[in-house]
Amino acid sequence: MTMKTIFGAALMAVTCLLGSVVPGYAQQKQQQTTAVVAGVVKDPSGAVVPHARVELHSVANDVNQTQFTDRQGRFAFTALPAGHYELTAVASGFAPAIIRDLPVQVGSEIPANLALRIATAATSVQVEGQSVSSLAATSKKVDTDAQGHSRNAAEIVAEAPGVTLRANGQLASIPMLHGLGDERTKIVIDGMTVASSCPNHMNPPLSYTAPAQVSQVTVLAGITPVSLGGDSLGGTVSVESRLPVFAESGAGLREESSATGFYRSNGENYGGSLNEWIAGRKVGIGYTGYFTTSDDYTDGSGHRITSTYAQSTDHVVTLAAQGAGNLFVLQAALHHTPYEGFVSAQMDMVRNYANSLNLRYRRAIGQGTLDAHIFWQNTFHEMNIGHDKSTFPMPMNMPMNTHGRDFGYSVRYELPLSDKHTLRIGNELHRFVLDDRWPPVAGTAPMMGPNTFVDINNGRRTRLGSYVEAVSKWSAKWSTLFGVRNDTVWTNADPVQGYSDMYAMDADAFNAAHRARTDPDIDLTALARFDASSYSSFEFGYARKSRAPNLYERYAWSTNMMASGMIGWFGDGNYYVGTIRLRPEVANTVSGTALLHGQGAKPWELTLTPYVTYVEDYIDVNSLATTMYGMSTFAQLQFANHNARLYGGDLSGNVTLWSGDRVGKGEITAVGGWVHGSRTDTGKGLYQMMPLNLRLSLDEEVKGLKAGFGAQAVDSKSRLDPNRLEQATPGYALFDFHAGYRSRFVQGAVNIDNLFNRNYALPLGGVNFDDFMAGMWMGQIKPLTGRGRSASLSMTATF
Ligand SMILES: [Cu+2]
């Protein structure tokens, strides 16, 4: 089938649908001399497409109107004279959807839903998010406003329900899904999986994706289909850059360019991006460049938060080719971060350089689709004290160099067995090799010399996984997803040495130990969905998921206070020691989701997701010792398996308040969450559980112009992890104002965050280690405070 015939068939289907004109609410509201054309724009996965450009034309009526869909993908043209119209929806990465002849009668509301298609001749090639049928999944297109307003890709991810952010450096925030984050969450970027090449996780996977590169984000908090599993205790986050678009047959070259610039007042953060794409019918080449630089931010009390500066440059080149039923996409990327401060750590990033290659291949085989990725990344990471910490009294100069290599592939075949059942089978590999070496510092032997401290020597973690998954639609109301997955994880590391004989006892014991470990893991997912009516759907499921320990959890070998103080990605200032015999953690989750919605002139939607997770062998810590500096106490901790329980719930929803031609559209959106986590043996809290929190936003949109107020309320954090000496944080509320304008060629947005310049401690921010160091290690260490008022401006030009 050619694109044309499919398109023609789709067009006919739409036209038939439109044959039956449904009288709507508009009839009562509008005067009887006009009509309304309203609908929803969706992508091939069925996900709504926000900010798609929708154009309505009628030569006879001299109507030429443009709108952008809202967050739910909706649009509505009102006060239209009767006649014949042409309706077009355009969004980047998709072929336009067109209804060429839309008959419109007075006094009626015309439903005109538009389905975008992937812009390739091979219609069997579909978007990755297609597999996500879960109600609890949030899948959305990322618009330029979100790109321009976010300091890092994790901030975009955190807009989804169930996600909170752990602060970790300007570019390196870490998403927590239902209280389980960092390596307990599977992060997939354009099909790639990479590990953090740093004992402090200064370079987590999302730090390699510039906000400008993010086109679609899918978040599965809690129950994850096994096809998106493997190391996915808390869930899966999939971040995708835009799919290549090719020229239409008969048309010339397809060329798309855009440029973005942004400025944020607090911390003097500025930067921008450039996107260029040129394609013929079969091949295309594109480039995305991104640059960001910022100084330290100031909190609400006017206090400068040192070591929160960062600078980074990204270059990504994309080559794509398509043939009949085939699609190749090759991405080559260079990421360079010359410096990034870490206020909660003893060290900063003084250089991070990574290059990567990612090849994706898709083809139709029989009735099914084969989707394969092969990727490689090489990371050079250097830590030392950065330019703020070097000004403190008693600066501790200490170079630490890490070299990480990620290699992997994934192959997946999706086969529709009948119109009811679809089968997915897949196999994937992720191999991570790590060296972590700390060169000697002249004149400091035996403490930091004369030898190089070898922290991790040729550490490797290899995960090989296979899965089978069946998605079935039993009836109009019932559908299910069942999956089983096996992952085998092998870890090992070669012999180590300390700076001097001072470290020999630990090094000898480590070198004599049997270090190779093999962990067979089994994951299971069972999910059922019941679409009770057009107003309500319910989903419930069970998942068992496993994660084998990372290299530092097993192989960080030194019990020396100074050396163990360099290990740990928790921002708590504590000291960490590994345990070779650590077992994988296994989470058993039961979760449900209720989705209720109302249609009509004032649509609304409400989603509720309660969950309970029991984690067997949760990798927590045992306290080895505590140490005091001045008025502050720190703990030396050793990774250890303990059982833990987490439960909580997410809520999200939106209500259209008003909608009309003069007043535009007004709506309220809300996202809230609550999680309770504790160790089952002690009943005490788990580290960094986000307290009850709620975000509200009131927005109005009129003809490309939008404005709104947001509020975020967070309860006090009082359930604490005693082992990590976690500190309480008080509750707070923040307000923001945002406005934006969008036309065909220019988009601009203004935000004022923390409008009232409130001073507040971040519940997941860890401690302010910089202030403690600046006070000569004497004072009381305090929780990190958040950013004070900040005004930001971003502009995107498309040409
Ligand atoms: Cu590091």
Side-chain angles (χ1 to χ4, degrees):
M1 272 213 289
T2 66
M3 186 77 185
K4 259 186 189 161
T5 45
I6 290 166
F7 203 67
L11 208 65
M12 271 177 64
V14 171
T15 318
C16 288
L17 258 175
L18 292 172
S20 55
V21 173
V22 185
Y25 290 75
Q27 209 159 19
Q28 296 116 48
K29 278 179 63 185
Q30 301 290 330
Q31 292 173 0
Q32 293 296 310
T33 55
T34 61
V36 173
V37 173
V40 178
V41 178
K42 292 187 172 180
D43 72 9
S45 69
V48 298
V49 182
H51 295 301
R53 198 176 77 223
V54 184
E55 290 174 8
L56 188 72
H57 298 289
S58 166
V59 179
N61 290 329
D62 192 26
V63 170
N64 241 329
Q65 291 187 26
T66 301
Q67 278 190 12
F68 290 87
T69 53
D70 66 7
R71 282 183 210 181
Q72 279 73 45
R74 296 176 301 211
F75 64 89
F77 294 95
T78 54
L80 298 168
H84 288 256
Y85 289 82
E86 182 181 284
L87 186 68
T88 313
V90 183
S92 65
F94 297 99
I98 306 167
I99 300 174
R100 292 195 197 280
D101 187 10
L102 180 64
V104 173
Q105 291 166 21
V106 158
S108 64
E109 181 177 327
I110 312 295
N113 294 329
L114 291 153
L116 296 167
R117 291 173 174 278
I118 295 289
T120 78
T123 46
S124 57
V125 173
Q126 292 178 325
V127 290
E128 196 122 49
Q130 203 245 2
S131 62
V132 179
S133 57
S134 169
L135 291 178
T138 316
S139 186
K140 67 164 197 169
K141 291 265 155 223
V142 177
D143 59 42
T144 50
D145 288 355
Q147 291 173 343
H149 185 238
S150 305
R151 288 181 171 77
N152 54 54
E155 287 189 357
I156 301 176
V157 171
E159 289 173 14
V163 186
T164 50
L165 280 190
R166 172 189 285 173
N168 183 38
Q170 172 89 251
L171 310 170
S173 308
I174 287 173
M176 307 281 289
L177 273 58
H178 291 176
L180 297 166
D182 207 341
E183 288 180 337
R184 292 189 173 107
T185 299
K186 177 158 186 172
I187 306 231
V188 187
I189 298 163
D190 283 326
M192 271 179 83
T193 307
V194 297
S196 212
S197 301
C198 169
N200 302 155
H201 289 190
M202 290 179 178
N203 47 15
L206 286 171
S207 67
Y208 292 112
T209 299
Q213 185 74 12
V214 179
S215 165
Q216 177 155 338
V217 168
T218 303
V219 176
L220 291 125
I223 305 222
T224 309
V226 293
S227 56
L228 292 164
D231 289 339
S232 64
L233 244 57
T236 300
V237 172
S238 171
V239 171
E240 286 168 77
S241 51
R242 50 174 298 187
L243 278 160
V245 285
F246 296 94
E248 304 270 337
S249 67
L253 283 180
R254 182 173 186 135
E255 198 173 344
E256 290 175 9
S257 311
S258 66
T260 299
F262 58 83
Y263 173 78
R264 295 157 198 145
S265 65
N266 192 335
E268 286 286 311
N269 180 198
Y270 61 87
S273 68
L274 257 180
N275 280 286
E276 178 64 40
W277 174 256
I278 301 173
R281 281 195 60 207
K282 300 229 154 137
V283 290
I285 182 164
Y287 167 78
T288 299
Y290 180 77
F291 172 76
T292 179
T293 187
S294 75
D295 204 346
D296 295 332
Y297 74 76
T298 320
D299 71 10
S301 70
H303 177 58
R304 180 187 180 95
I305 308 300
T306 51
S307 300
T308 55
Y309 56 80
Q311 187 176 101
S312 190
T313 308
D314 291 73
H315 303 280
V316 183
V317 173
T318 306
L319 289 167
Q322 67 166 356
N326 290 299
L327 177 69
F328 283 97
V329 184
L330 177 68
Q331 277 189 331
L334 292 178
H335 312 271
H336 183 225
T337 304
Y339 51 81
E340 182 176 0
F342 285 80
V343 58
S344 298
Q346 289 195 43
M347 294 288 142
D348 300 305
M349 184 191 271
V350 294
R351 194 175 99 104
N352 196 85
Y353 180 81
N355 37 37
S356 63
L357 280 176
N358 183 11
L359 177 70
R360 167 189 298 201
Y361 175 58
R362 284 177 191 174
R363 82 167 284 154
I365 296 179
Q367 294 296 304
T369 309
L370 178 81
D371 196 334
H373 289 85
I374 183 161
F375 58 87
W376 164 86
Q377 178 165 314
N378 196 21
T379 305
F380 296 96
H381 170 69
E382 293 173 23
M383 287 201 290
N384 206 327
I385 50 168
H387 57 248
D388 284 346
K389 289 188 177 83
S390 65
T391 65
F392 297 158
M394 307 184 295
M396 193 176 78
N397 183 49
M398 182 177 171
M400 301 165 72
N401 302 331
T402 321
H403 181 201
R405 283 136 287 172
D406 291 273
F407 168 77
Y409 70 76
S410 68
V411 184
R412 161 184 163 151
Y413 185 59
E414 179 164 324
L415 180 68
L417 297 173
S418 66
D419 48 350
K420 282 187 177 164
H421 305 286
T422 300
L423 184 72
R424 285 183 202 128
I425 52 170
N427 175 260
E428 59 184 52
L429 172 85
H430 176 223
R431 179 171 169 84
F432 175 56
V433 181
L434 181 75
D435 285 293
D436 185 6
R437 293 187 154 79
W438 310 347
V441 178
T444 61
M447 191 71 180
M448 290 166 66
N451 304 319
T452 292
F453 186 101
V454 179
D455 188 35
I456 302 275
N457 182 20
N458 190 25
R460 55 260 188 214
R461 184 180 191 274
T462 307
R463 179 172 57 79
L464 181 66
S466 306
Y467 59 83
V468 185
E469 190 169 86
V471 186
S472 307
K473 188 148 181 66
W474 300 99
S475 68
K477 293 192 168 181
W478 281 98
S479 45
T480 58
L481 181 149
F482 293 102
V484 56
R485 173 177 182 118
N486 163 252
D487 287 276
T488 305
V489 181
W490 295 271
T491 65
N492 204 350
D494 290 347
V496 295
Q497 66 170 35
Y499 284 114
S500 66
D501 282 348
M502 215 180 101
Y503 299 86
M505 217 169 84
D506 285 341
D508 291 348
F510 181 84
N511 296 342
H514 182 70
R515 298 179 300 274
R517 305 285 298 174
T518 303
D519 300 305
D521 297 337
I522 298 284
D523 287 13
L524 299 167
T525 296
L527 196 63
R529 174 173 173 165
F530 178 58
D531 292 303
S533 69
S534 57
Y535 301 102
S536 59
S537 298
F538 302 91
E539 188 174 88
F540 43 91
Y542 161 79
R544 174 200 152 99
K545 288 180 285 185
S546 331
R547 179 185 75 95
N550 70 30
L551 293 173
Y552 287 104
E553 285 165 337
R554 274 205 171 130
Y555 303 123
W557 56 272
S558 181
T559 56
N560 172 277
M561 286 306 270
M562 195 276 296
S564 59
M566 299 296 124
I567 313 294
W569 44 93
F570 309 96
D572 57 0
N574 292 317
Y575 302 68
Y576 286 84
V577 181
T579 304
I580 294 174
R581 300 186 65 81
L582 217 53
R583 293 181 300 274
E585 33 187 24
V586 179
N588 290 279
T589 300
V590 177
S591 175
T593 296
L595 170 72
L596 308 170
H597 52 104
Q599 288 148 346
K602 292 180 182 174
W604 58 271
E605 199 169 86
L606 178 70
T607 308
L608 284 163
T609 302
Y611 57 88
V612 183
T613 299
Y614 179 78
V615 190
E616 206 178 317
D617 287 329
Y618 180 84
I619 298 176
D620 199 43
V621 289
N622 289 337
S623 191
L624 296 178
T626 54
T627 182
M628 284 198 74
Y629 294 101
M631 293 161 68
S632 300
T633 309
F634 298 93
Q636 188 182 46
L637 306 165
Q638 183 163 29
F639 291 110
N641 293 114
H642 289 283
N643 298 336
R645 190 186 297 115
L646 298 100
Y647 55 85
D650 306 329
L651 167 155
S652 63
N654 60 71
V655 190
T656 301
L657 298 176
W658 63 83
S659 177
D661 54 332
R662 292 218 185 102
V663 291
K665 187 182 300 175
E667 88 179 333
I668 289 185
T669 50
V671 178
W674 171 68
V675 59
H676 179 107
S678 53
R679 279 253 302 255
T680 53
D681 57 342
T682 60
K684 302 284 193 207
L686 298 180
Y687 186 60
Q688 284 189 338
M689 291 294 120
M690 185 69 179
L692 180 67
N693 61 90
L694 181 69
R695 297 196 309 264
L696 283 172
S697 185
L698 170 66
D699 298 273
E700 173 159 24
E701 241 179 301
V702 193
K703 290 173 181 147
L705 200 65
K706 61 171 188 175
F709 284 96
Q712 183 193 15
V714 178
D715 197 7
S716 58
K717 185 183 71 179
S718 52
R719 275 185 59 79
L720 308 166
D721 177 356
N723 284 316
R724 286 180 168 88
L725 310 167
E726 187 179 13
Q727 297 188 48
T729 53
Y732 60 91
L734 303 177
F735 298 88
D736 69 271
F737 167 76
H738 46 265
Y741 174 71
R742 188 170 281 277
S743 71
R744 189 164 168 182
F745 299 110
V746 183
Q747 290 137 49
V750 179
N751 290 65
I752 304 173
D753 294 319
N754 197 354
L755 203 54
F756 302 113
N757 203 26
R758 173 81 200 253
N759 193 31
Y760 66 104
L762 292 159
L764 309 188
V767 294
N768 189 329
F769 210 86
D770 264 49
D771 280 356
F772 176 68
M773 285 192 281
M776 298 184 71
W777 298 60
M778 297 295 289
Q780 170 63 54
I781 196 160
K782 295 201 177 88
L784 179 63
T785 47
R787 195 177 299 267
R789 185 190 299 126
S790 184
S792 66
L793 177 71
S794 70
M795 294 286 287
T796 301
T798 311
F799 37 91

